[in-house]
Structure formats: structure tokens, C-alpha cells
């Protein structure tokens, strides 16, 4: 099984967030936005419905599907302050990737509970990759390059 994170792997969360708060938190070495900026983001309770598809995402997901079954493994905000997150992520995935299952951690830290030896996780959060590998899963740290990610996946088959 190949599990793909959604936010910043196929959905452009940071692009959306950067427009709202005026900067990309990753450029500051942060994984998530500080609380005051997160409050600006969550003012749009339908944030996950409104995310754009990243360029190349469809081809990437299709290429992954040539190797193994693909599913999304995503998370909702740990503060439970975006009540439509589950619904909107499911609808978003159905719109762009019909037929692909969506699993929820429910939080990022819980993704490790899905790890099985040999299963692959593609995620932009290094901690999730490290946790996944600790359970003998194969972690592919996504840093924005689909070709690099596919090369890592190809090595496993």
C-alpha cells in the first residue's frame, strides 16, 4: 500500500495559506503557522474544500498506482477548530481523485498507527516519515519534487 499525505503533497495548503497570511512558514523553517496566523486561516471554515490541486499531482498519483494500491492518509488540525475538515477533505479527494480511499490519522501524530512493514508513506512532514520508518514502514519525505518521490518509490518494487 502507498499512503499519500494530502496537504502539500497533492493539495496546495501552503500556497493558500501564504496568500492569506502573507508568507510561507516553511521558508522560516516552521512546519506550521503560529497560532495568531492559524486563526486567520481557520476563519475560512471551508479551507480544505478551497485548496487548489498541485501541478503534477494527478500524474504523480497515477504513477504511484502503477506500483501498488494508493490511498490518502491525511490529518485534521489538532485543535479541532475546523469542523468541516473531515467532510471537506473527503469531498476534495472525491473531486480530484475519485475512487481513492481517504484515511484520517485523525491527527498528524497518529499516522504512525497505519504503518505496516513494507507500506509506503509519502509525506511532507519529516517527523511523520521518521515515525513511519520506526515501524518498519518505508517513508518518502516529500520536498516538492514528484520525480524524486517516484524514484524513491520505484526502488521499493
Amino acid at each position: 500500500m502507498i499512503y499519500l499525505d494530502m496537504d502539500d503533497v497533492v493539495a496546495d495548503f501552503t500556497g493558500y495559506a501564504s496568500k492569506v497570511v502573507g508568507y510561507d512558514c516553511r521558508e522560516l523553517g516552521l512546519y506550521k503557522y503560529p497560532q495568531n496566523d492559524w486563526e486567520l486561516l481557520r476563519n475560512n471554515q471551508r479551507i480544505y474544500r478551497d485548496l487548489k490541486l498541485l501541478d503534477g499531482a494527478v500524474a504523480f498519483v497515477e504513477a504511484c498506482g502503477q506500483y501498488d494500491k494508493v490511498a490518502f492518509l491525511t490529518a485534521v488540525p489538532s485543535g479541532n477548530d475546523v469542523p468541516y475538515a473531515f467532510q471537506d477533505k473527503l469531498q476534495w479527494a472525491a473531486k480530484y481523485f475519485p475512487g481513492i480511499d481517504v484515511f484520517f490519522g485523525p491527527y498528524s501524530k497518529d499516522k504512525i498507527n497505519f504503518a505496516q512493514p513494507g507500506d509506503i508513506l509519502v509525506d511532507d512532514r519529516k517527523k511523520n516519515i521518521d515515525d513511519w520508518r520506526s515501524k518498519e514502514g518505508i517513508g518518502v519525505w516529500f520536498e516538492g519534487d514528484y520525480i524524486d518521490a517516484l524514484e524513491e518509490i520505484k526502488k521499493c518494487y
Side-chain angles (χ1 to χ4, degrees):
M1 173 80 81
I2 299 174
Y3 291 102
L4 304 175
D5 179 34
M6 289 176 68
D7 298 333
D8 289 327
V9 173
V10 294
D12 191 9
F13 179 84
T14 299
Y16 177 91
S18 297
K19 289 178 184 170
V20 173
V21 299
Y23 69 97
D24 179 342
C25 69
R26 296 175 300 186
E27 291 175 358
L28 300 177
L30 304 172
Y31 174 70
K32 53 186 180 179
Y33 287 90
Q35 188 60 34
N36 59 324
D37 290 332
W38 173 248
E39 289 172 11
L40 292 172
L41 292 169
R42 74 176 168 86
N43 281 337
N44 176 4
Q45 289 288 295
R46 306 313 293 265
I47 186 172
Y48 296 102
R49 174 195 65 191
D50 297 340
L51 298 179
K52 290 188 174 36
L53 182 68
L54 284 168
D55 290 340
V58 171
F60 174 68
V61 173
E62 289 173 355
C64 289
Q66 294 177 11
Y67 294 104
D68 207 339
K69 181 171 173 36
V70 174
F72 292 115
L73 179 55
T74 190
V76 297
S78 60
N80 291 316
D81 52 358
V82 183
Y84 292 101
F86 287 99
Q87 175 183 335
D88 287 347
K89 284 186 173 219
L90 287 168
Q91 289 177 350
W92 189 95
K95 175 181 178 180
Y96 293 109
F97 301 98
I100 296 184
D101 293 329
V102 179
F103 297 99
F104 291 88
Y107 308 112
S108 188
K109 67 180 179 63
D110 300 316
K111 289 182 180 182
I112 190 173
N113 296 324
F114 286 80
Q116 297 292 319
D119 281 352
I120 296 173
L121 173 66
V122 178
D123 201 303
D124 64 308
R125 187 171 188 181
K126 181 76 163 81
K127 181 170 182 354
N128 290 341
I129 295 303
D130 294 341
D131 290 348
W132 194 267
R133 290 174 178 163
S134 77
K135 294 285 190 167
E136 299 181 30
I138 300 163
V140 175
W141 185 22
F142 185 73
E143 296 184 88
D145 189 319
Y146 291 126
I147 293 171
D148 287 349
L150 281 171
E151 287 299 316
E152 288 299 310
I153 291 167
K154 188 188 306 185
K155 292 177 188 175
C156 302
Y157 293 94

